[in-house]
Structures are given as C-alpha cells and as structure tokens.
Amino acid sequence: MADIADVRLFDANLHFDRFPDESNAMTWRLEMTPSTSYNDGADFFILEIEYEVVIQEVADTPPAEEADTTDLATMAFKLGCLYRLELNDRAHPESSELDSFAKTMGTMALYPYAREFVQNITSRMGLPPLTLATFRLPFPDTTVAPKEPDRAPKRSAPRKRAPKRSGADK
C-alpha cells in the first residue's frame, strides 16, 4: 500500500583523515538508523535513514581478528524517501506499522541508493571505490547494519586478455 515517489539526499558530512598505505588492506563499518514521519490522515509518509560509514586501514598483521585498524575516512549522511500511500478505504497506518516498515522493506528499498552514494563518494575521495555488502533481513533491533565479509583481499594485478580476433580470422 506504499510506493516510492521520491528519494533525496538530506545531509552529508565527509571527513578524510589521510591517504592509506597501499600495502595494507582496508575494511569498513556501517551503522544505519531508520525513522519515519507521518501526519495522521495524510496520503504519504517520509522514511529517513541516517548512515555512518567508517573506512579503516588494517595493519598487515595476521590473524585478521587481532589486526590493528586505523580510521581513514568517515561518511555520515541521511537519505530521505517519500512514500505515497494507496489506502483504498483501508485504515491509516499505525506508528508501529511504520516503524516495522522502516526496519524492513523501507530500509531494503533505500539501501541501494546508499550503496551507490558510498561507492561514488569513496572514489571521489581518492579511495578504492567501496561497495557495501548486500543488505539482508532481519534488520536487528540495534542500529548495526550489514558487515563487511571477513578481510578484504589485497588488490591483484589486472588480468591480461587475449587480443580480439578480426572477422577474417574466424
């Protein structure tokens, strides 16, 4: 009964501490805090999600769980989404229903926009473009969100490709 009508960036704060050492791996941490705004009887509501991404450098000391990390950059931003309601003579949503929606479908719907923003901004900050992990339900009752898979592998050299054959060679 709710459909996305618009998505906007409400706020962004970026902080870049220093350049990473290319020989060290990088990791990240993400926190998300969803909330909704709704006026009784309205045919829309707003979902806002505050995101905080901390990008860290991992000292190259095994094992990964015990390795030291140093913050490289922090991104705090808020995305907002306008949802239109199509009630069709149904009751207006209760605040508990909107909270549940915010933590499940609403968060899943807005998460790709957050992933794209993080990937774009990390690239513009001169860091390797960061692709956040896929969001999975259930959303915990805390503000902790998807975590990076264990340790990110070091970059490998680009693959060599065979030259393309011309049409005459086929």
Side-chain angles (χ1 to χ4, degrees), residues 37 70 147 149:
S37 301
T70 306
K147 294 181 182 172

Side-chain angles (χ1 to χ4, degrees), residues 4 47 83 100-110 135 137:
I4 294 176
L47 168 66
Y83 275 91
S100 293
F101 181 85
K103 290 181 178 179
T104 56
M105 284 304 298
T107 301
M108 286 184 73
L110 207 49
F135 182 78
L137 287 176

Side-chain angles (χ1 to χ4, degrees), residues 3 18 50 97 117 119 126 156-157 165:
D3 195 17
R18 62 185 178 76
E50 295 180 29
E97 292 173 310
F117 181 79
Q119 190 173 47
S156 59
R165 298 188 312 184

Side-chain angles (χ1 to χ4, degrees), residues 34-113:
S35 63
T36 57
S37 301
Y38 176 68
N39 294 325
D40 287 335
D43 65 347
F44 67 92
F45 69 94
I46 297 171
L47 168 66
E48 295 178 359
I49 301 180
E50 295 180 29
Y51 299 88
E52 183 179 59
V53 179
V54 178
I55 301 166
Q56 300 173 313
E57 182 176 35
V58 180
D60 205 10
T61 358
E65 307 86 49
E66 298 173 12
D68 290 329
T69 60
T70 306
D71 290 357
L72 291 175
T74 303
M75 302 169 58
F77 60 100
K78 185 191 315 185
L79 291 176
C81 187
L82 176 69
Y83 275 91
R84 292 265 180 228
L85 294 171
E86 294 182 23
L87 297 174
N88 299 329
D89 297 326
R90 286 179 264 183
H92 290 275
E94 300 288 328
S95 63
S96 61
E97 292 173 310
L98 291 174
D99 289 343
S100 293
F101 181 85
K103 290 181 178 179
T104 56
M105 284 304 298
T107 301
M108 286 184 73
L110 207 49
Y111 191 68
Y113 295 92

Side-chain angles (χ1 to χ4, degrees), residues 9 11 13 19 56-57 92 100 110 112 125 134-135 144 152-153:
L9 175 66
D11 189 26
N13 185 4
F19 289 97
Q56 300 173 313
E57 182 176 35
H92 290 275
S100 293
L110 207 49
M125 293 172 85
T134 303
F135 182 78
V144 177

